[in-house]
Amino acid sequence: MTEATGIVGEFFSLKEGTDAELLAMQCGDFYEFFGEDAELVSEELDLKVSQKSSHGSSYPMAGVPIDDLTPYLKALVERGYRVAVADQYETDSGHAREIVRVVTPGTLLETSDADAQYLAAVVDGSSAGGSSTDAGYGLAFADVTTGRFLVAAADDADDALTELYRFDPVEILPGPDVRTDDDLLNRVRERSDATLTLHETEAFAPKRADHRVRDQFGAETVDRLSVAQPAIAAAGAVLSYVEETGAGVLASMTRIQAHHGDDHVTLDATTQRNLELTETMQGERDGSLFATIDHTETSAGARLLKEWLQRPRRSLEVLERRQESVAALSSAALARDEIQETLGEAYDLARLASKATHGSADARDLVAVHETLAVLPALAEAIASNPDLADSPLAEIVDRPDREAARDLRETLAEAIADDPPSTVTQGELLQYGYDDDLDEVIERHEAVREWLETLADREKGQYGLSHVTVDRNKTDGYYIQVGKSAADGVPDHYEEIKTLKNSKRFTTDELEEKEREILRLEERRGDLEYDLFSDLREEVAARAELLQDVGRALASVDALASLATHAAENRWVQPELHRGDRLEIEQGRHPVVEQTTEFVPNDVRLGPATEAAGQERASGRADEDRGFLVVTGPNMSGKSTYMRQVACIVLLAQIGSFVPAKEAEIGLVDGIFTRVGALDELAQGRSTFMVEMSELSNILHAATEESLVILDEVGRGTATYDGISIAWAATEYLHNEVKAKTLFATHYHELTGLAEKLPRVANVHVAADERDGDVTFLRTVRDGPTDRSYGIHVADLAGVPDPVVDRSRDVLERLREEKAIEAKGGGSSEPVQAVFDLGSGTMQTGGEEQAASTDGGPTAADDAPALDPETEAVLADLESMDVNATPPIELVSKVQELQERLEE
C-alpha cells in the first residue's frame, strides 16, 4: 500500500498521534473511519463499507452522519474501545482537522443509563510519596455525567477493593505501584467489569496532583477535606485524565467531597453479592433488593437510592432525619402521590449541567432544564400544603438550593428558548421572538420575505390568470414557479423557463431570484446570530452548574425518600427504633425480597443484652439473657440462609433510613455487615471452593469488630469432616471471645450446639420441622434451642435420588445414631467431635480414636458383613458432601442426574 495522502493521509496522521483504538474524523456532514478502523466498525456496528481512492490506492471507508455519531460512539465504548473524535474547522487554505476528545468508558457523556458512571483512580501510598501517616491507599471517583467528585482513603488493599466494588466504576486508572501489583489487579478484574487504563505516571506525582486539585476546587476546600496524600494524588490523576481526553466537563466538577469509611457501614464485595443488593447471583437487576424497593420517578432518584443501599450510614442523626421524612410521606398518601406525580416531570439536572459545561447541550436540553427548575417550587408547595410534611426534614431539603437564583434562571430560559425548538443548534428557530433586538429585526425581515414567497402563487394566479400554479424550493433548482403544462403557454414574458417536467414546467423571475438570495442571506444571518446567542445562553447555564446540581440533589433526595415511603406503605413495613447500643431485636421479621414472591413465615431474632422486661418474660437461662452469637441449626432447605439474610437486610435497610419488614424492630447501629454464604470457586485464579471459603472467613475474622454483624453459613463444609468441624469450632470461639461481633452461624455440625454450654454469649436456635409417619414438613419457623436433625436424606429423596440409595442412606444413618448412643452411655469425650463415621474405612472415630463399627449389619472392617461396592460408596460420599442449600436448583438437578447415571453404570 502506497503512502496515503489527502483526507486519508490526514486520517492516518491523526491516528498515529493518539492511543485510541479507533478514530472518527469529520469530513463535511459525516464522521468517517478509514482502513482497518472502517472494517472493525463495520463488523461491530453493521455499517456499510465503501472504498476511498487516494492517489492510486484504495482504502476501506465507513461513515455516519454528524447528528448520528453519539449512539455509535456509545456502542463502541460499551464494547471496550477508546474512540478519538477529530472535528473539522475552516482555515484560509480550506479544511483542517484536529482531535478534540477521546471517548472512554469513564468519559462518555452521552449515556441513557440511570446508574452512576464513575471514573476511578487508585493509588498506593508508597507511590504517592506520602509520609508514614499517609500509608494505605487513596481513591478518587468522578462521574463526568453529573460532575460528582469524591475522594476516599483505604487502610489496605482489601479496603480499597471494597470501595471499588461499592462505587462500581466503569473505568479505573491504577497508580504506578498498583500497576505492578499483579495480585491486586487480578482481584480488581475478578470483582469488576471496569476498563483498566494506564494514564501517564506524571499525573500521579504528589505535587503536580495537589496543584491540580487545588486549582480545580480551591485551596481552602482541599485543606478542609482532611484526607491523606494518596487520595489527593488519585484525584489529581482523574482531573488530568478528564482534561486530556477532552471531555470538557471540568467546569461541572464544582465540589470535591471526602468519602470517609467510618461514616458508612462496611459492606465488602462478598456481602454485597450475597445479599443481592443491586443484582442477583445471576447478574439480573430484577430480584435484587434495589429493584424491590425502587419506586423512584427520576433517574437521579434511582441513582441516589442505589447509593444509599451500597453505602449505608452510621450517623444516627442522619438516619433519624430520613426516617422522619419516610414516616411523614408514608402516612400522607395523597400528598405523596402528588409529589411523585410532580417529580415525574423532572429531568436529570446534574447530567444536563454536565452537558452544558461540555458544550453538547442543545435547545431541547435547555427546555428540560427550564421544566425541571419549575418542579422545585411545585414540590415545595406540595410539601408546605401538608402540615405533617411541612414539619418534616423534607421542607428543609427543598429549601437548600438557592430558589431565587433557580427562579431567575428559569425565567431567563422561558424568555429565550422557543417552545418547540429543533434538535440541532445550527438550523435556527431556537429562540423566542423578543429575546434579542438584532435577532428580532432579522426574524421580521425573514418572515416578511417568507410571507412574500408563500403568497406569490396566489398573486401570480390573480395577476396573470394562470391555473395550477405553485411556488416551491429544492436543492437543485432553488425557488421556482411551477405551472401546469396546459397553462404554461400563457405565462408572462418575464418568466424564464428552467425545467420541463412530464405535466408541468418550472420558471423563475428576476424578482424571485432576488428574494431567494435575500432569504438565504437572512437564514444564514439568523442561524449564525441564533447560534451565537444560544451559545452564550448555554454558557450562562453552564456557569450555574452548581445551582443545577443542588436542585437536582434536592429532587433526587425527595424522590428516594418517597420511594422508601411508598414501599413501606404498600408492604406494611414499620419504623425501626435505632440506637447506638448492642441490642438487636426483630419481631416477626420478613425477607424484603422473598416476601414479594411467596407466602412468607415471619421469624424473630434477638441479639445483645436482654431488656429487663424480656428477662422477666423469658428467664430461661444465662444464654438468653445476654446473647451475641446464635448457632442456627435445622433441616436442609428449611430456610436457615433466608432467615440469616433477612436479618442482615433488615439491619441494612434500617441504616439507610428505611422502614423494615417486621412487626417491630429495635436495631443497634453496626459498623459493618459481613457474610459468608454459599459455595463458589475461582478456578481461573487457582482458588478452589474451599480456598474461597477460607479467604472469606479470613477477611471477616480480620475486618469485623465488636460493632459488626456477621452472617456465616456452613463454614468448614468444603473439606474433610474433622477439619471442617475444627475450623468451625475455632472460628466460633474467636468470634465470641476476640471479635465479639453479633453473629448468626448456620451449621450442620451439630457438635457446635454444645458451645452454648461453654461460651456465655452463645445461644442455639433451630428451624423447626414436623416429622410424622416418615413424612417431613418444614415449618420455616425459628425456635430456641438446638436440633440434631438435618433431614438431608429427605431432601435427597425430594430431589429424585434413586430409592436404593435413599433406603441405604436411611439404614446407615440409623446405625450411626445407635453407635453414637452407645458411645454416649459409655461416657463420651467433651471434645467437639463425639462420633463421626468414616464411610471410606467403615470405622467410627471418637475423640481422635478409631474403633470398628460393631452395629449389627453395619458396614465395618471387622466382620464379613456385605459391604457396598466402591462405586456405590463413592456415590454415597458425593451425596453426603453435597450442600443442598448452597447449590443452585439447576446445578442440583444436574448433579442428581449424574449420580443416577453413575449408579446405572
Side-chain angles (χ1 to χ4, degrees), residues 496-551:
E496 178 184 348
E497 184 177 338
I498 57 175
K499 183 176 287 186
T500 299
L501 304 175
K502 181 178 180 181
N503 297 315
S504 61
K505 292 184 178 182
R506 290 178 180 174
F507 303 88
T508 186
T509 67
D510 292 343
E511 186 178 23
L512 179 59
E513 289 179 348
E514 176 58 33
K515 292 296 185 183
E516 179 178 9
R517 287 190 291 271
E518 182 178 3
I519 199 168
L520 290 175
R521 286 196 303 270
L522 289 169
E523 285 176 349
E524 183 178 2
R525 172 63 178 152
R526 179 176 181 176
D528 291 345
L529 187 55
E530 282 208 62
Y531 181 75
D532 290 342
L533 291 168
F534 176 80
S535 295
D536 292 341
L537 183 65
R538 183 166 57 192
E539 289 180 7
E540 184 177 348
V541 173
R544 308 311 301 269
E546 188 169 353
L547 170 67
L548 298 184
Q549 291 166 352
D550 288 342
V551 176

Side-chain angles (χ1 to χ4, degrees), residues 753-766:
T753 60
L755 285 169
E757 302 300 321
K758 298 176 177 293
L759 302 176
R761 295 173 55 252
V762 172
N764 289 309
V765 297
H766 69 280

Side-chain angles (χ1 to χ4, degrees), residues 554-567:
L555 300 183
S557 297
V558 175
D559 195 13
L561 292 167
S563 176
L564 294 177
T566 297
H567 198 79

Side-chain angles (χ1 to χ4, degrees), residues 114 298-305 347-350 552-553 555-557 559:
T298 69
S299 57
R303 262 198 321 275
L304 183 60
L305 182 60
Y347 295 87
D348 198 328
L349 273 183
R553 191 174 297 109
L555 300 183
S557 297
D559 195 13

Side-chain angles (χ1 to χ4, degrees), residues 415 451 513 657 835:
E415 294 169 358
E451 183 179 357
E513 289 179 348

